Amino acid sequence: MSDIIRLTAAGLAEKLQTREISAVEATQAHLDRIDAVDHDVHAFLHVSNHALDAARRIDDRRTAGEELGPLAGVPLAVKDVLVTTDMPSTSGSRILEGYMSPFDATVVKRAREAGLIPIGKTNMDEFAMGSSTEHSAYGPTRNPWDLGRIPGGSGGGSAAAVAAFEAPLALGSDTGGSIRQPAHVTGTVGVKPTYGAVSRYGAIALASSLDQVGPVTRTVLDAGLLQDVIGGHDPFDSTSLTDAWPSMAEAARDGARGDVLKGLRVGVVKELSGEGFQAGVQSRFDETVALLTKQGAEVVEVRAPHFEYAVSAYYLILPAEASSNLAKFDSVRFGMRVQPDGGGTVEQVMAATRELGFGPEVKRRIILGTYALSAGYYDAYYGSAQKVRTLIQRDFDAAFAQVDVLISPSAPTTAFKFGEKLKDPMAMYLNDVATIPANLAGVPGISVPIGLAPEDGLPVGIQIMAPVREDARLYRVGAAIEALLEQQWGHTLISQAPALGGK
Ligand code: GLN
């Protein structure tokens, strides 16, 4: 395996700045790695034909003495939910097969402007519905730690690409956990920023009141560097916050060297433990809690009584919003068109297109959503779910009046086997119990690797949540935990992942 691909984004960026490595070399090394392992991993739906050209332009500009951004020349994998002008954007769906967008998502545009090199589009559950990538219309992604297991979802492609060293950085989207849960099961770092902190313009919408774009990386610092590039106000996204944000990379650096844990008030969420949580996930989490206490953190148990209803509320609100967002795939405006027997009325063409173009999970949620929104049931289902959402937000407010951050395992289990939850949608949905509350309240959350579960040797992550707008706190605390554990182990967790693809 080339040494270039083992570097963190921060490490690679440094070598690019000193011209020890060129952007072309960095890009080529990752393209070679994709060539060597992606037939096994299947993290990518599309690999860019333009990456080397873009890298060459960065090298030329650097040679000409131009001042470039800190990540210029670093390759970036992009979840296929984000539209791009130079690569197809399918959101994992057959209905958008081959679709070319006339514009770049704001986060992609910002990444390009910062000199990052988009190298491909990553696999995902269709329209970001799922926790395993098994709902992708293009076949699942495999977990680099164990190719017989899922890489999480919906952003399993982005997480697997980063875990398999096919890209140092990736972009994801998190509506109910699709950045954090894949990070948890692949031993990587995933951040769902505060709702509105990162533009959603050009992110194919799943549920607009929950969706958030964010970084997928191997270290907390790398995530901070990427959020600094993609974050901040975007006039094209009406929910985008106008705040001036501090540097997340600085916060991560600060956390890694300082003693931020001393006196930090940490709340362990009582409702996110116990029943349904795998023993090895719980034990790694408990050890991390003990470590925090040893470092002088004031750890207390916090109650969030309405979290119990979060998954139920989410599976009314999400399908309701999704059914409305997906109405635009009508055979006229975007993507595929199926004409039954070569003709048909508008309704028949639309029905035939949606019948063939959408997979079973998407259909299930459209049906659930339209049912929940129908006149006779609106108050009973959608209206009640919105009330529960408010109660969950109040739980967060009450908790954050007592503590600085909340913590839990990022997901109840380690990576499960293919097929294990596919036939039982409820079992699949429950894998997001820990991550969904943050989306319902708009608060930021990060997943940081904390070790391997003893029973199966698979990665486990801790989730840290902070109040709205306090993303920098996540980076500070996340980097502190990461640094402590690395000190204790003498290596990073991801360095223990199987090499794949021979040498
Ligand atoms: N797994 C969750 C779902 O299926 C989360 C999806 C997401 O965050 N995009 O809805």
Side-chain angles (χ1 to χ4, degrees):
M1 207 193 286
S2 129
D3 292 340
I4 295 180
I5 62 168
R6 308 289 304 189
L7 294 167
T8 62
L12 176 57
E14 227 179 85
K15 292 191 190 295
L16 286 160
Q17 277 153 25
T18 58
R19 305 228 247 143
E20 194 180 318
I21 296 174
S22 71
V24 166
E25 283 166 338
T27 304
Q28 190 62 57
H30 287 93
L31 292 173
D32 289 347
R33 175 68 173 168
I34 293 172
D35 250 5
V37 303
D38 211 52
H39 52 88
D40 284 334
V41 179
H42 191 227
F44 287 90
L45 292 178
H46 185 90
V47 179
S48 174
N49 304 317
H50 309 286
L52 285 170
D53 284 343
R56 216 164 281 125
R57 284 195 294 275
I58 293 297
D59 285 337
D60 290 347
R61 287 168 62 189
R62 208 185 302 271
T63 307
E66 211 180 301
E67 187 80 37
L68 300 172
L71 290 177
V74 177
L76 171 73
V78 179
K79 188 179 182 183
D80 208 31
V81 75
L82 297 163
V83 300
T84 45
T85 51
D86 58 347
M87 297 182 268
S89 306
T90 69
S91 206
S93 182
R94 195 60 75 191
I95 212 163
L96 280 176
E97 193 165 2
Y99 173 71
M100 292 300 293
S101 166
F103 67 97
D104 275 328
T106 293
V107 289
V108 172
K109 183 166 169 272
R110 287 186 180 170
R112 289 195 213 274
E113 284 166 1
L116 284 146
I117 316 287
I119 53 165
K121 302 296 286 287
T122 58
N123 196 18
M124 54 183 285
D125 287 291
E126 185 175 4
F127 287 112
M129 299 178 184
S131 309
S132 68
T133 74
E134 291 170 289
H135 294 309
S136 167
Y138 304 100
T141 296
R142 298 192 189 86
N143 190 321
W145 289 83
D146 177 345
L147 297 174
R149 291 176 188 262
I150 60 101
S154 62
S158 281
V162 167
F165 298 91
E166 296 173 274
L169 299 172
L171 290 172
S173 68
D174 189 311
T175 304
S178 286
I179 290 176
R180 289 163 289 160
Q181 181 258 10
H184 164 93
V185 297
T186 58
T188 56
V189 173
V191 183
K192 183 201 92 71
T194 294
Y195 182 75
V198 175
S199 169
R200 296 179 297 114
Y201 182 68
I204 298 169
L206 169 54
S208 308
S209 76
L210 302 161
D211 295 344
Q212 189 50 222
V213 175
V216 180
T217 60
R218 291 192 292 264
T219 70
V220 176
L221 172 59
D222 285 359
L225 287 164
L226 188 52
Q227 187 164 335
D228 285 345
V229 168
I230 60 173
H233 181 247
D234 176 15
F236 289 134
D237 176 351
S238 61
T239 61
S240 170
L241 296 169
T242 52
D243 303 45
W245 297 87
S247 163
M248 304 302 158
E250 268 323 302
R253 288 198 180 98
D254 190 34
R257 70 176 161 247
D259 51 357
V260 294
L261 298 176
K262 195 187 245 137
L264 184 78
R265 296 172 306 162
V266 177
V268 176
V269 184
K270 171 84 173 55
E271 284 71 16
L272 300 179
S273 67
E275 204 195 329
F277 283 77
Q278 189 181 319
V281 170
Q282 192 65 51
S283 63
R284 286 294 173 244
F285 176 76
D286 293 344
E287 285 164 26
T288 310
V289 172
L291 197 64
L292 292 176
T293 308
K294 211 170 124 213
Q295 294 300 314
E298 296 166 25
V299 183
V300 293
E301 189 175 90
V302 166
R303 300 300 304 257
H306 302 95
F307 279 23
E308 189 188 331
Y309 310 107
V311 173
S312 311
Y314 173 87
Y315 276 99
L316 288 166
I317 294 168
L318 178 138
E321 293 186 18
S323 68
S324 155
N325 277 325
L326 295 180
K328 64 177 164 286
F329 300 104
D330 58 3
S331 78
V332 177
R333 281 174 280 194
F334 299 96
M336 108 196 262
R337 177 178 304 167
V338 179
Q339 298 191 299
D341 310 319
T345 63
V346 171
E347 281 82 7
Q348 283 164 341
V349 172
M350 201 186 295
T353 302
R354 287 165 72 89
E355 162 60 22
L356 206 76
F358 288 144
E361 182 63 23
V362 173
K363 287 176 186 157
R364 181 179 297 124
R365 295 201 194 187
I366 290 174
I367 292 168
L368 269 171
T370 45
Y371 183 81
L373 288 176
S374 56
Y377 296 110
Y378 187 94
D379 289 338
Y381 295 121
Y382 185 74
S384 304
Q386 290 293 17
K387 286 180 191 154
V388 171
R389 186 174 191 171
T390 301
L391 294 173
I392 288 167
Q393 284 161 351
R394 288 189 192 150
D395 280 357
F396 271 111
D397 291 345
F400 286 131
Q402 296 171 53
V403 296
D404 303 312
V405 291
L406 290 170
I407 57 170
S408 74
S410 302
T413 69
T414 55
F416 45 90
K417 296 198 175 90
F418 288 110
E420 208 177 303
K421 299 186 196 284
L422 201 53
K423 291 277 166 303
D424 180 359
M426 270 310 287
M428 188 78 87
Y429 296 170
L430 283 170
N431 217 253
D432 296 319
V433 274
T435 46
I436 281 173
N439 299 81
L440 288 171
V443 307
I446 188 172
S447 180
V448 178
I450 51 168
L452 304 175
E455 62 269 42
D456 54 22
L458 292 166
V460 175
I462 187 173
Q463 172 178 233
I464 309 160
M465 294 177 282
V468 159
R469 294 186 158 87
E470 295 295 338
D471 300 42
R473 193 181 299 170
L474 292 185
Y475 283 99
R476 221 171 270 123
V477 176
I481 294 175
E482 176 184 66
L484 263 178
L485 288 171
E486 276 176 33
Q487 227 171 56
Q488 196 177 72
W489 299 329
H491 56 73
T492 62
L493 188 79
I494 198 69
S495 66
Q496 308 303 295
L500 303 173
K503 286 194 72 119

